[in-house]
Structures are given as structure tokens and as C-alpha cells.
Amino acid sequence: MTRDLITDAHQAERCAQACSRFVEGLDALSYSVTQSTLSGGFGTLPSGLALERKYSDLTHGPEGSLSSVLAAHITAVTNLREAFLEAGRGYQETEDDSTSRIGNTGPR
């Protein structure tokens, strides 16, 4: 069974707004992760220090850490929001153009 995705400028705007709300939530989470630090929480033994480093790498480290994954999600959802906005603009431009053509070629 094939289903068609039908949208209009209003629906595209609603999708873009949902993306904006999601990005706000991701931004807040990212800020919380950035502000979180664990200093001495695992003790001063070598194994505790190693565990603290591992935790820090998982949250704030390089590629694959929570911070980097959140940043990638924020970028993806921001791009999706822009795609919805562009689709809405394109729909409205096409609708306006079609309306104008019909109005100019109607009965006289």
C-alpha cells in the first residue's frame, strides 16, 4: 500500500515549530551535560580516578560522547526545521503562482 504525504504551508510551519521545541529541549539537556562535573566522586584510588576519567570521556569527550551526540542531534533537527520552513515557502509560492495564473487566464 502506498501512502502520499500531503502538506501545506500551515502543516509545514507546525512541523518546524515542533522541531524548534525539540531543539530547545536538546539545548537544555546539552547545557546540563556541559555544566555537570564529577570531581572526586569515585575516590582517590587509581581505579576511582580511572572511572572518573571514563565518565568524563563518556559525557564530555570526543566523538561518541553524550555532548557530541547531542550536538549532532541538534544540528540534524535544526536542518529538518529549515527543510520544513523551505517546503512551506515553496508550497506557498507555488500556490500563489497557480492562483495568479488562474486569475489571469480566467474568463473575460
Side-chain angles (χ1 to χ4, degrees), residues 23 29 34 85:
V23 166
L29 182 57
T34 301
L85 291 173

Side-chain angles (χ1 to χ4, degrees), residues 27-64:
D27 279 335
L29 182 57
S30 180
Y31 178 78
S32 294
V33 169
T34 301
Q35 298 302 310
S36 71
T37 58
L38 183 63
S39 180
F42 294 107
T44 58
L45 293 174
S47 60
L49 296 174
L51 189 56
E52 184 178 336
R53 275 191 305 277
K54 182 68 174 172
Y55 173 81
S56 180
D57 287 347
L58 287 173
T59 57
H60 304 91
E63 186 176 336

